[in-house]
Amino acid sequence: MPNIQFLNPESLGKPLAAYSNIARVKAGEFLFIAGQVGIDKNGKVAADFETQCAQVFANIGAALVSQGANFANIVAFTSYLVHAQDIPKFAQYRAREFPRLFPGGAYPPNTLLIIDRLVREELLVEVSAIAALYVH
Amino acid sequence: MPNIQFLNPESLGKPLAAYSNIARVKAGEFLFIAGQVGIDKNGKVAADFETQCAQVFANIGAALVSQGANFANIVAFTSYLVHAQDIPKFAQYRAREFPRLFPGGAYPPNTLLIIDRLVREELLVEVSAIAALYVH
Amino acid sequence: MPNIQFLNPESLGKPLAAYSNIARVKAGEFLFIAGQVGIDKNGKVAADFETQCAQVFANIGAALVSQGANFANIVAFTSYLVHAQDIPKFAQYRAREFPRLFPGGAYPPNTLLIIDRLVREELLVEVSAIAALYVH
């Protein structure tokens, strides 16, 4: 396993959702995972925000598993939403699902941005990720 | 050369354009390249979207060459467009030019975002990049 | 100290503000710092753009100090503003404050994006960062 610590020093504000302020990472190998969207392996776009979220994290999970890794290897997320109204839904989704994806109970840093649009108009959420593979 | 693999596991959706879903990277040194825009070394802004794209990738290429590297060292792109109407043009530009920039035929991960504006109003596209320099 | 060089090759356009085009980094350990906003450790949101900037960089500084690091360890910033009108204010803030934060006089790469919104409506600026800890 890579050496990854998630840290929330008291000198910073408390994280506003299911993330940590810092990941400290000693690793010999990294995965850069392109932004994942709510499209499944057959090209089908999930209809609603929550189903898109599930597909996004399923895709990231599949990317990790394909390299012998899992969510414990994630060191940074960047998350993009198209509608500000989906911010609470995204927070709720993570509050509910992340304890299962991250059974250690500590979450990687995330930066959440609300932007104009994603590559296809029906897409509502995209998440890119960096993962660390092992200590060198 | 660094050890870089571009991977598109079948368990994820097929990439929607000229990128890969994952870069797996073992490297001793990294380059972080600030977002490049369509401004040449004399400060001239390229007039149209396509010429700005050419300048953006020329700038990234120049950054790489200055460090003894080339596009084969890129491990992640993040691309920002100001107008959703330019999405097909950006896809076409990459489909046409990337086979020349990446003669190996495999492309680094990219995350494509449509945002409000770049640092100057006439700029239509910006691309930031991370490159890996060699195996440690 | 990690081995970090900030480079501005002449073949690229001159940086448009207080940043470098390239960071070249040999490091054994990285910090990924979640996007920081103008909220202090007690949850109070700073009222205006400039005070939010000060809080953002105070938070990043606190994150660095908590890990025995400082601004000299930063290898990349990504900065998000909500209003294009704040671009000159952000440039001025950095021009004035960065010489103090980065006494070496060389600044890390930055990518500046104008987006729709941040996680809370009153937030005007967010900066995420990657830092490098030491040579392996």
Side-chain angles (χ1 to χ4, degrees):
Chain A
M1 278 299 295
N3 188 333
I4 302 175
Q5 292 172 269
F6 295 126
L7 301 143
N8 286 301
E10 279 187 28
S11 48
L12 278 79
K14 231 179 109 176
L16 307 169
Y19 68 89
S20 301
N21 272 314
I22 308 172
R24 181 171 181 152
V25 184
K26 202 180 288 183
E29 204 164 1
F30 285 93
L31 300 180
F32 294 89
I33 302 176
Q36 295 298 314
V37 292
I39 302 182
D40 70 14
K41 64 177 169 180
N42 301 313
K44 193 168 175 288
V45 179
D48 59 276
F49 181 79
E50 173 130 345
T51 320
Q52 290 195 14
C53 284
Q55 187 66 53
V56 161
F57 289 102
N59 287 348
I60 293 173
L64 292 164
V65 164
S66 78
Q67 302 308 308
N70 61 53
F71 281 94
N73 295 85
I74 294 284
V75 297
F77 283 132
T78 308
S79 305
Y80 304 92
L81 304 186
V82 171
H83 300 305
Q85 308 94 287
D86 290 333
I87 296 174
K89 291 186 213 170
F90 191 56
Q92 286 156 22
Y93 182 86
R94 290 147 74 207
R96 196 186 67 223
E97 300 295 332
F98 273 22
R100 187 176 55 82
L101 299 181
F102 301 92
Y107 306 124
N110 180 50
T111 299
L112 174 66
L113 293 327
I114 316 303
I115 65 167
D116 267 17
R117 223 196 85 155
L118 298 171
V119 64
R120 284 165 57 171
E121 196 156 15
E122 62 269 43
L123 296 171
L124 305 170
V125 51
E126 177 156 352
V127 180
S128 66
I130 303 176
L133 286 186
Y134 57 76
V135 183
H136 48 230
Chain B
M1 281 298 295
N3 188 333
I4 301 175
Q5 293 172 268
F6 296 126
L7 302 143
N8 286 302
E10 279 188 29
S11 48
L12 278 80
K14 232 178 108 177
L16 306 169
Y19 68 88
S20 302
N21 272 315
I22 308 172
R24 181 172 181 151
V25 185
K26 203 180 286 183
E29 205 163 1
F30 285 93
L31 301 180
F32 294 89
I33 303 177
Q36 295 298 313
V37 292
I39 301 181
D40 71 13
K41 64 178 170 182
N42 302 312
K44 193 166 174 289
V45 179
D48 58 275
F49 181 78
E50 173 132 345
T51 321
Q52 289 196 13
C53 285
Q55 188 65 54
V56 161
F57 288 102
N59 287 348
I60 293 172
L64 292 164
V65 164
S66 78
Q67 302 309 306
N70 62 53
F71 281 95
N73 295 86
I74 295 283
V75 298
F77 283 132
T78 308
S79 305
Y80 303 92
L81 304 186
V82 170
H83 300 306
Q85 308 94 287
D86 291 333
I87 296 173
K89 293 187 212 170
F90 191 56
Q92 286 156 23
Y93 181 86
R94 290 148 73 208
R96 196 185 67 224
E97 299 295 331
F98 272 21
R100 188 177 55 82
L101 299 181
F102 301 92
Y107 306 124
N110 179 51
T111 300
L112 173 66
L113 292 327
I114 316 304
I115 64 166
D116 267 18
R117 223 196 84 155
L118 298 171
V119 64
R120 285 166 56 172
E121 195 157 16
E122 62 270 43
L123 296 171
L124 305 170
V125 50
E126 176 155 353
V127 180
S128 66
I130 304 176
L133 287 186
Y134 57 75
V135 183
H136 49 230
Chain C
M1 279 299 294
N3 188 333
I4 302 175
Q5 292 172 270
F6 295 126
L7 302 144
N8 286 302
E10 279 188 28
S11 47
L12 278 79
K14 232 180 107 176
L16 307 168
Y19 68 89
S20 302
N21 272 314
I22 308 171
R24 182 172 180 151
V25 185
K26 203 181 286 185
E29 204 163 0
F30 285 93
L31 300 180
F32 294 88
I33 302 176
Q36 295 298 313
V37 292
I39 302 182
D40 70 13
K41 65 178 169 181
N42 302 312
K44 193 167 174 288
V45 179
D48 59 275
F49 181 79
E50 174 131 345
T51 321
Q52 289 195 15
C53 285
Q55 188 64 55
V56 162
F57 289 102
N59 287 348
I60 293 173
L64 292 164
V65 164
S66 78
Q67 302 308 308
N70 62 54
F71 280 96
N73 296 85
I74 295 283
V75 297
F77 282 133
T78 308
S79 304
Y80 303 92
L81 305 185
V82 171
H83 299 307
Q85 308 94 286
D86 290 333
I87 296 174
K89 292 187 212 168
F90 191 56
Q92 287 156 23
Y93 181 86
R94 290 148 72 206
R96 196 184 69 223
E97 300 294 332
F98 272 21
R100 187 176 56 81
L101 299 181
F102 301 91
Y107 306 124
N110 180 50
T111 299
L112 174 65
L113 293 326
I114 316 304
I115 65 166
D116 267 18
R117 224 195 85 154
L118 297 172
V119 63
R120 284 166 56 170
E121 196 156 16
E122 61 270 42
L123 297 172
L124 304 170
V125 50
E126 176 155 353
V127 180
S128 65
I130 303 175
L133 287 186
Y134 58 75
V135 183
H136 49 229

